[in-house]
Amino acid sequence: MGEGDASRAPIQTVGGRCACGCWFPWRRGGLAASMEPGLVGPGPYRATRLWNEIIELFRAGMPLRKHRCRFKSYERCFKASEAVDCLHELLGSNQNFGPEVTRSQTVKLLKKFLKNHVIEDIKGRWGKEDFQDDGHLYRFPPSSPLKPYPKKPSFGKEVIKFPDWNDPKAGTSQERIPVKSIMMNSEMWYKRHSIAIGEVPACKLVFRRELTQENIEEIWKTMTLSRLQKVLGLDCLDEVIDTKLVNSKHIVQNAYNVNKQGIVTLEDKSKDLPHWILSAMKCLANWPICSDLKQPTYSGFERDVFKTIVDYFGQMKEPLLTFNFFDVFVSVLGLLQKHSEAIEALQISCLLLPPENRRKLQLLVRMMARISFNKDLPPLSESVRTRVLMVQAFSRCILCSKDEMDLDELLAAKLVSFLMDNYQEILSVPSALKSSIEEHVVHVQRVQIKYAGADTDVTFPAPSFCHQISTDEFEYQRATGSQEPLAALLEEIATNKEISVKDKKKKLKQFQKSYPEVYRVRFPTPETEAVLFPEKSKQKPPLLMWALRKPFQPFQRTRSFRM
């Protein structure tokens, strides 16, 4: 069958097994319609999972047939233009990328495929980025093209050690009351509830040690990462971010060192954008009002200014979101369909950035958004729409990976588009997180009440983020978490043989008054309660028996006196 016959062959659903042993169904002559990839959610190695998924779908959906080149036939190959058509359609229909993917981005991805030996030319050559959208012939290599999952060393969960809050403040003469972590017994329960019956035990106030700036920064870091972990739905952050690289000072500075517009202010002005770049960005963002420009403009002036800005951000050695945080931002992309969760996750993730990076990101994205919606600004390109141009020009300086074997260009384009549409919310300080951390800081500095001789102190646990549970589970936990310990305490009082009957009745009466429901379960009737206090029998001995117990005395005549 020749090339023309092959192109008119009926579509058949067949299958094959790649070098890694995976079975792939495909349709000859078209994309795999039966394969509907789902959204790859947040989690470890999301970029690698997306890379492998696209390769699998591309191998499954790419039609392979016979082609002729220079009087020679080649089996099971495809043209470069056919590969672009197939992969472009695949990416556009994929939920993880969407229809915004351009044909030029598809060509760049195929160049990566060629460099990483996902495809090779018909002579077995690969490794050079010379892929073009033309009629050159390519084929799939026999070796496995899938990317192995990286074996990252376990960073280990970083445990933040808080200061010993029980240490008294310097200069106070109050002695420290030791705290023993033991189970509550009946005697301690009685001491705790003695206030209700008018007996107040002696107590003292123990002051918390004042928090240092380092303590507050560590609290910010711990609670921020905990919130990020919850929003992403991960058991641990170790596989998406090295928590040791998170600088707690950066988080606090990003939260508090801001101006009226919410943009970070820097203490070190040398790390800020140059004045001429700031002027150029203000010029395009506020076009046609260019207050900083004193010289007259000319035709094409706005394009030259835009090119200057692009060249400056393009020469940066590291993206604004940094290489260290690449995985966490890629993981956030899995939440874009859940708008509110994606906004919160990006808010927290951007809070981890160095202040100079966050400031540059805020200024850049704000400029991009204003340019995209500015109808008075002349077109900056003759062939590309302004919004698409913004994404193409600045995606790589915002997010990219060190690994060339990645989909960073497609992922960055998707993230930047979302940033432009929601930059005011994303690049602001999350108010809910800030409030909870400030409340926690106030809590740990409160005065503590210590009872003399008590086993524990009267304080409440620190606020923490919890997982939502169902109503049934809540009712069960409430019953088991409160009634069962009280029932055990009541049983201990009832069976304690070391206390007197008077004290036992007194404690039981107080318990019944405080917890009538628990008491009613243990003693539903007066008879069940009376079993604890059996009355002693007071039977009098019979008269005959009493008489027999006396010693026998013989009858004696007594003299009577007669008057």
Side-chain angles (χ1 to χ4, degrees), residues 7 49 217 269 353 421:
S7 62
R49 286 185 287 151
E217 291 170 356
K269 300 301 181 181
L353 297 173
D421 295 335

Side-chain angles (χ1 to χ4, degrees), residues 321-381:
L321 299 184
T322 74
F323 291 132
N324 294 329
F325 297 152
F326 174 78
D327 288 333
V328 71
F329 279 101
V330 171
S331 187
V332 172
L333 285 173
L335 294 173
L336 292 188
Q337 289 187 341
K338 302 176 181 178
H339 184 82
S340 59
E341 296 181 10
I343 293 292
E344 184 179 4
L346 286 174
Q347 278 183 332
I348 299 174
S349 301
C350 291
L351 205 60
L352 308 180
L353 297 173
E356 57 271 19
N357 288 42
R358 181 178 173 89
R359 175 177 171 81
K360 294 176 183 178
L361 180 67
Q362 288 174 316
L363 295 174
L364 177 60
V365 176
R366 187 176 67 168
M367 181 204 72
M368 294 166 59
R370 289 185 177 182
I371 291 176
S372 299
F373 295 104
N374 190 352
K375 297 181 180 180
D376 297 329
L377 181 67
L380 300 176
S381 174

Side-chain angles (χ1 to χ4, degrees), residues 182-195 197 199 201 451-456 488-490 492-494 496 498-500 503-504 506-507 510-511:
I182 61 174
M183 297 294 294
M184 181 182 290
N185 53 32
S186 60
E187 190 67 23
M188 181 200 168
W189 178 91
Y190 176 70
K191 291 178 180 179
R192 286 295 180 86
H193 293 79
S194 58
I195 297 178
I197 57 177
E199 300 177 11
Y451 286 99
D455 298 326
T456 58
L489 180 61
L490 177 60
E492 181 182 351
I493 297 174
N496 193 344
E498 297 180 359
I499 59 178
S500 63
D503 291 339
K504 181 180 293 188
K506 186 177 181 180
K507 291 181 178 181
Q510 176 61 31
F511 194 102

Side-chain angles (χ1 to χ4, degrees), residues 43-45 152 155 234 236-242 327:
Y45 316 122
K152 292 186 178 181
F155 301 124
L234 302 178
C236 182
L237 289 176
D238 290 348
E239 294 177 339
V240 297
I241 188 174
D242 185 354
D327 288 333

